Amino acid sequence: MVRSPIFKKTYKDYLKQVGRLDLNACRQTLGFDVEGDTALIPMFDRRYRVSGDEICDSAGERADWSIAVVLCKYLLLCPSAPLRSRDLRTFKDFKDAAPLISYFDSTVQGRIAREFSGRTDDLGEACRSIGGKPYDEELAYQIKYQFSALPKIPVYLLFNDAEEGFPAQCTLLFEQRAQNYLDMESLAILCGTLAHRLNQPK
């Protein structure tokens, strides 16, 4: 696919900024592995190599633009120390989420609800196939899974199937500290990746 000049300039700028980072300092805060000048960052069940030269998956293929953006922002926004606030909240509860709430409800949570309505067994299997683990909290949902979206950024998926008069419903929850590790656009993209991966053929 041919990339526009703006894409290439933006991508190179991100790589330049990542190349100036102290990856070992980021590692101490975020908890990923470092190999030389390359960060090895797990996203769901896949691992990406991120350096000042390139962003690629474990097979050496260049990461999709959306994933590359999230990984760069994740490193560039790394706080100086790990954060402890783990109270759970919805996407719309974050202070900077307002412009993206409609997108998130329709394209992320709504997509999962629509695609897995009447397919709770398929949803459970899809969650497990990309690293999801059962979430054991006593919440009134039929399907409850926890994902390690990125180190320090768990995502909790809650799902109720359609019943008479009520459509299927999906809710994603996050720890409060997620807003300090990613900007809201990147968090929405990360969850869009989750919605896409859940419906990929296995």
Side-chain angles (χ1 to χ4, degrees), residues 120-121 123-124 127 141-145 157-161:
T120 54
D121 288 346
L123 177 57
C127 288
Y141 287 85
Q142 295 167 289
I143 300 290
K144 297 174 289 184
Y145 275 85
L157 184 152
L158 310 176
F159 180 90
N160 275 332
D161 204 358

Side-chain angles (χ1 to χ4, degrees), residues 118-148:
R119 301 171 55 210
T120 54
D121 288 346
D122 290 343
L123 177 57
E125 182 179 348
C127 288
R128 293 187 294 273
S129 74
I130 59 171
K133 299 186 181 303
Y135 182 49
D136 294 329
E137 291 296 316
E138 293 187 3
L139 299 172
Y141 287 85
Q142 295 167 289
I143 300 290
K144 297 174 289 184
Y145 275 85
Q146 175 181 345
F147 299 87
S148 179

Side-chain angles (χ1 to χ4, degrees), residues 5-41:
I6 293 176
F7 171 90
K8 292 178 181 178
K9 182 179 184 302
T10 304
Y11 185 72
K12 289 181 179 179
D13 182 57
Y14 276 134
L15 292 181
K16 187 181 299 184
Q17 293 180 61
V18 167
R20 293 196 292 261
L21 290 174
D22 182 346
L23 292 180
N24 282 303
C26 294
R27 176 188 60 80
Q28 292 176 18
T29 297
L30 298 174
F32 54 77
D33 292 329
V34 173
E35 186 179 274
D37 61 355
T38 300
L40 308 178
I41 304 178

